[in-house]
Amino acid sequence: MKNLELNIENVFPFIPKETLDGYEELTNYHIRHLHQRTGKGANFLGWLDLPSTITEESLKGLEDLAAAMNEKIDVMVVVGIGGSYLGAKAVIDALTHSFGMCINRSRKYPRIIFAGQNISEDYLGELVDFLDGISYAITVIYKSGTTTEPAIAFRILRSHLEKKYGQEEAGKRIIAITSANRGALRKLADQREYRSFVIPDDVGGRYSLLTPVGMLPIVQAGFDIRQLVAGARKMEEITGPGTPFWDNPSAVYAAARNALYRQSPKTEILASYHPKLLYMAEWWKQLYGESEGKEKKGIFPASVNFTADLHSMGQYIQEGQRNLFETVISIEKPVRHVEIPEEEDDGDGLNFLAGKRIDYVNKMAELGTMLAHVDGGVPNILIKLPELNEYYLGQLMYFFEKACAISGYLMNVNPFDQPGVEAYKNNMFALLRKPGFEEETELIYKRLDS
Ligand code: PA5
């Protein structure tokens, strides 16, 4: 079986190979510290060996619950924000038919809809309208149990669900995923006897794909979480402390981006040529942005979806300010087979492509763009996935997580905290006059008045 491949040939015109050889000792040192749990943020390393330690019992528990619930619903609303929704959304979008039907599935699974990732009145109002005539259930996910966005969405939807089905049946249609013993959601789940799962205290949100946070919505959508775990397990094995530097894709990716960052580029653009990977980029942006962007350091994670964005962002990437590098996720084999038909009169001049697969044209766009960007001064890292399926998504996401931890250590920051996120919350709570924020409220209104 093939594995994810990393190709950094298009970094060498900008960074000599010897510079990257120089990272061998350093990345080995950081990988050792990660695995010995002696580096920064060591109490948040529960994700590191999740793939190899996940139990049959926990997988079966998720599958059974999803199967039982799926029998009576058409829609599952997953309520969560940041790491409490992006991993599941990335996988579900990558595997779901672009037009809403399920690929290769013999039976129907509920449509998964996300809420609690914004505070838009229109979004919630329209969601409630939509749910009026639909049989649905709620999976509510927040580790802290106090995050405002999901808390508001859950209150609105819970009340709708209770009105629709009565309190008892509504309670059977709610699944809570939260901390074992702290926060408002844990209290509510215990009081109202919701079915609940625990997010381990030593796993941060953005690293929680292989906990119930990511896996329950994925299995609810009808996808194979065992294959997801198997792929991640393979990557756990490949990226472990015993692997030589050049055979460890996470170490090489972390080293290449760190070397580029030190030379000059401060923005990394994640590019893919598949619209199904739009949310993979959103997940990746949170992972790297929250893990590295602190202490005035960090590579700014941006993303583009080609070829659509070649007609919007392409100009800047080709000729704008030279502070970028690009990481491309390339999928070797598409699921479908669609050829361009021949036409007798060749009115649109496309007969030179007749009989060619659409994916062949996409691959030529990918290759041509990469070469053009390198010519334009944009270093390029290529990540090749054999196929878009659960197994390779498991590989890809664990690869990124491991590389992110190593990258954070290379920058000498703690990749597992996010202290900066509190700043907006404190101001918002002060402005909303939340009890306990009286002093901040007074200060902020004085500031606004002056
Ligand atoms: O990575 C993290 O831990 C955070 O980004 C969280 O995922 C995000 O803030 C949501 O937290 P919670 O699950 O407590 O609502």
Side-chain angles (χ1 to χ4, degrees):
M1 201 169 225
K2 288 182 174 177
N3 290 319
L4 166 154
E5 266 178 44
L6 182 77
N7 182 330
I8 57 160
E9 284 299 309
N10 287 327
V11 170
F12 295 141
F14 305 89
I15 304 276
K17 180 164 177 296
E18 302 73 65
T19 304
L20 291 185
D21 285 332
Y23 274 86
E24 177 160 5
E25 212 175 303
L26 206 54
T27 53
N28 283 344
Y29 170 84
H30 289 312
I31 292 170
R32 258 198 326 274
H33 274 288
L34 267 177
H35 284 266
Q36 291 166 353
R37 290 163 161 78
T38 45
K40 290 190 177 189
N43 46 346
F44 278 97
L45 284 171
W47 58 274
L48 200 57
D49 54 7
L50 270 181
S52 58
T53 54
I54 219 150
T55 62
E56 167 62 28
E57 194 191 348
S58 60
L59 291 171
K60 181 104 180 41
L62 295 169
E63 288 166 344
D64 287 349
L65 177 62
M69 189 75 104
N70 285 358
E71 276 181 10
K72 56 179 178 184
I73 59 169
D74 295 317
V75 164
M76 174 61 79
V77 186
V78 175
V79 177
I81 194 166
S84 290
Y85 95 104
L86 283 168
K89 171 101 174 123
V91 172
I92 293 170
D93 278 15
L95 298 174
T96 300
H97 192 290
S98 305
F99 301 96
M101 293 167 285
C102 290
I103 306 170
N104 298 333
R105 309 286 160 198
S106 51
R107 73 181 177 87
K108 215 176 137 277
Y109 292 91
R111 183 169 162 201
I112 309 294
I113 282 178
F114 292 86
Q117 77 283 41
N118 59 54
I119 326 178
S120 161
E121 189 160 339
D122 289 344
Y123 186 93
L124 275 174
E126 287 165 13
L127 178 57
V128 167
D129 284 352
F130 169 75
L131 293 171
D132 264 344
I134 278 178
S135 176
Y136 77 99
I138 302 172
T139 299
V140 54
I141 309 175
Y142 47 118
K143 183 179 179 183
S144 58
T146 50
T147 312
T148 311
E149 293 87 340
I152 291 173
F154 184 44
R155 185 180 275 209
I156 301 277
L157 293 172
R158 187 170 73 235
S159 137
H160 182 262
L161 197 71
E162 284 173 357
K163 270 192 206 117
K164 191 169 161 128
Y165 297 105
Q167 191 150 347
E168 197 186 331
E169 174 60 15
K172 291 184 189 149
R173 287 172 179 249
I174 294 174
I175 304 167
I177 306 181
T178 187
S179 149
N181 40 37
R182 64 188 166 87
L185 183 57
R186 168 52 55 205
K187 220 165 115 197
L188 204 61
D190 290 347
Q191 271 168 5
R192 303 202 180 183
E193 297 181 351
Y194 298 148
R195 183 68 214 267
S196 74
F197 291 89
V198 167
I199 311 176
D201 279 341
D202 60 354
V203 181
R206 57 194 178 275
Y207 293 86
S208 66
L209 175 76
L210 297 181
T211 71
V213 172
M215 303 239 280
L216 186 61
I218 293 169
V219 76
Q220 283 164 342
F223 298 112
D224 187 344
I225 50 174
R226 287 166 193 266
Q227 281 300 309
L228 188 79
V229 172
R233 189 175 299 150
K234 183 71 194 173
M235 207 32 73
E236 180 187 340
E237 186 190 311
I238 294 176
T239 60
T243 307
F245 173 69
W246 283 106
D247 295 334
N248 181 338
S250 294
V252 174
Y253 176 55
R257 57 198 299 288
N258 189 268
L260 288 162
Y261 171 70
R262 281 173 196 277
Q263 191 193 61
S264 121
K266 300 289 181 264
T267 300
E268 177 177 13
I269 304 173
L270 189 74
S272 93
Y273 288 71
H274 303 273
K276 287 182 178 186
L277 292 181
L278 268 166
Y279 264 86
M280 185 57 71
E282 296 306 310
W283 172 81
W284 171 88
K285 285 194 283 197
Q286 188 209 355
L287 180 63
Y288 280 80
E290 273 192 353
S291 300
E292 285 184 339
K294 48 197 73 159
E295 299 174 29
K296 313 268 182 285
K297 301 181 205 171
I299 298 170
F300 183 79
S303 66
V304 286
N305 202 265
F306 292 153
T307 59
D309 289 341
L310 283 171
H311 298 264
S312 56
M313 299 300 289
Q315 172 60 37
Y316 189 102
I317 298 169
Q318 192 65 46
E319 295 182 349
Q321 202 180 333
R322 301 298 71 191
N323 61 351
L324 315 167
F325 69 96
E326 190 177 26
T327 296
V328 177
I329 302 178
S330 178
I331 310 295
E332 277 182 65
K333 207 172 124 215
V335 178
R336 308 297 293 259
H337 185 121
V338 181
E339 287 178 11
I340 298 169
E342 175 141 21
E343 276 186 6
E344 215 169 285
D345 64 354
D346 195 20
D348 52 12
L350 267 188
N351 268 358
F352 74 104
L353 293 176
K356 297 271 190 300
R357 290 182 66 171
I358 304 285
D359 191 60
Y360 169 76
V361 182
N362 203 23
K363 289 279 185 338
M364 294 306 106
E366 182 181 302
L367 180 59
T369 305
M370 241 156 58
L371 294 173
H373 288 175
V374 171
D375 291 346
V378 179
N380 219 294
I381 297 172
L382 179 64
I383 297 165
K384 270 197 195 170
L385 275 198
E387 284 175 56
L388 211 45
N389 61 25
E390 290 91 333
Y391 182 77
Y392 289 117
L393 289 173
Q395 284 203 359
L396 178 70
M397 294 170 91
Y398 188 87
F399 152 81
F400 273 139
E401 288 178 356
K402 189 69 162 280
C404 185
I406 303 169
S407 289
Y409 280 0
L410 284 171
M411 281 192 195
N412 197 21
V413 296
N414 176 354
F416 309 114
D417 65 1
Q418 56 283 330
V421 179
E422 296 312 308
Y424 100 89
K425 288 188 193 169
N426 290 338
N427 283 346
M428 179 177 78
F429 292 148
L431 289 164
L432 291 170
R433 302 179 190 281
K434 184 176 176 174
F437 283 78
E438 289 75 9
E439 218 173 292
E440 289 87 343
T441 298
E442 205 184 315
L443 284 173
I444 205 160
Y445 278 105
K446 254 193 204 145
R447 179 177 160 187
L448 291 174
D449 284 345
S450 65

